[in-house]
Amino acid sequence: MSTRAVTKAVIPAAGLGTRFLPATKSQPKEMLPIVDKPAIQYVIEEAVRAGLTDILVVTGRGKRAIEDHFDRNFELEYYLEQQAKHDLLKEVQGTSEMADIHYIRQRDPLGLGHAVSVAREHVGDEPFAVLLGDDIMVDESQLLRSMIDVHARYGRSALALKRVPSDEISSYGCVEPEPVHDGLVQVRSIVEKPAVADAPSDLAVIGRYVFTPEIFEALDRIEPGAHGELQLTDAIALLLETQTVYGCVFETGRYDIGQKVDFLRANIELALDREDLGGDVAEILRRIEPNGVTDRIKSAQTGVLSQLMSTSRFARLVEQEAIDGDKAYRSEEHTSELQSPDHLVCRLLLEKK
Ligand code: G1P
C-alpha cells in the first residue's frame, strides 16, 4: 500500500485551563513551565524529534503568549548578545527556529473534535499527527515514532493507548482492543469517558494520534457527545466503520500535566534529571524525608481526622487497631497492611488519642 509520509502535526491549544486557575486567568495553560520550559515546547520538541516539522497550533482567545514564545524576540536577543550570554541566546533563538509553526484560531470552544476539524484546510489530503498538550512524553519520541511506523506499514490511523486503573477510565476515551502482536492492537470499538461499568477495557486513549485524512469526513458527521462537546473519539468511532484503526500500547514516559499532582511530579522528576539542578533538588527531597514528610502528612490529616472518625469504616479500623495493638500485625504476612494508608491514618488517630 502506498502511503504518504506523516510530516504535519496538529496541537490543539484552545482550552481554558480552568483546572489551573488562578495561574491561567491571564496566561495560556500551555505556557505553564515544567522546570523552566513552557509545557507546549516539550510537545513541539517531541513532534520535531519524530520528524514532524510542519506544526499547526490551534489556539483561541488569550493565547497570544504561545505565538510570541515561538517568534523572534530581537530586543531580548540584542540584550543577551550585549551581555555575552551566549548559551541563553542560543536557547532563545532555538525556540523560534525549531519548526515551521502555524497558528489558527478555534473561534468557538466546541470540543476537541471541533479543534481538530479546524486544521482541515492546513492539513489537506495528508496523514497527520495530533498531540494533546496535557500529555507530556519523556521517551525521546519513541511512542510517536512507533505510531508513525504503524501508519507507514498499514496506511491506517493509530492511537496511543495506556492501561489505567479501572476507576480512572471514565476520564478517557476507551477502546475495545483485539491483539495484533506485542504492543499493537486493532481497535474494535471506542467510547468517550465511559462509566466504569460500561468500559470495554482498561485501555485508555492518551493524547497522541496519527490520522488518515478521512478523519475529517468523520469529524463533519459528529454530533455533540460526552459533556455536550464535539468529541474526537466519536469521529474515530465513525472512521472505524470504513477503516481499520490501530492502537499502540505503551507503559512509561507520560506525565498527565493536566492533573496538578502529575504537573508537580513532572517538575520534580525532570528537575532531578537535570545536570544543573538535580543535585540541589535531591538535597531538598532528602531534607524533608522522612521526618518532614511525616510531619506534613500529620498536619494535613489533622483537619480530616474528625471527619474520618465519623465514618463507621474508619471507626471500626481504629477500634480494631486499638484492640489488636501491634501484636497481630507484627507477623510477616501483615507487613504490607501496616504500610497501607488506612492503617497509617489509624496509627495517627491512636497517637492523637
Ligand atoms: C481528551 C480526549 C480523550 C482522551 C484524553 C487523553 O480528553 O477526549 O478521549 O483519552 O484527552 O488525555 P480530555 O482530557 O480533554 O477530557
Side-chain angles (χ1 to χ4, degrees), residues 19 29 112-113 132 134-135 160 169-174 190-193 204-209 227 229-233 236 254 256 259:
R19 266 186 279 190
K29 66 170 176 170
L112 180 60
L132 304 188
D134 278 350
D135 288 311
I169 199 73
S170 309
S171 305
Y172 297 96
C174 173
I190 185 166
V191 55
E192 179 69 9
K193 300 190 172 61
V205 179
I206 304 303
R208 299 293 180 271
Y209 310 77
H227 300 179
E229 294 180 358
L230 293 170
Q231 296 289 354
L232 182 57
T233 299
I236 300 170
R254 173 206 182 215
D256 177 5
Q259 306 289 340

Side-chain angles (χ1 to χ4, degrees), residues 31-39 42 136 255 257 263-278 281:
M31 290 300 293
L32 292 179
I34 310 292
V35 189
D36 52 9
K37 199 156 69 174
Y42 287 86
I136 285 196
Y255 293 103
I257 58 153
F263 175 81
L264 294 170
R265 184 171 70 93
N267 271 288
I268 293 167
E269 291 186 0
L270 294 184
L272 281 171
D273 283 347
R274 285 260 298 254
E275 242 172 60
D276 57 339
L277 292 170
V281 175

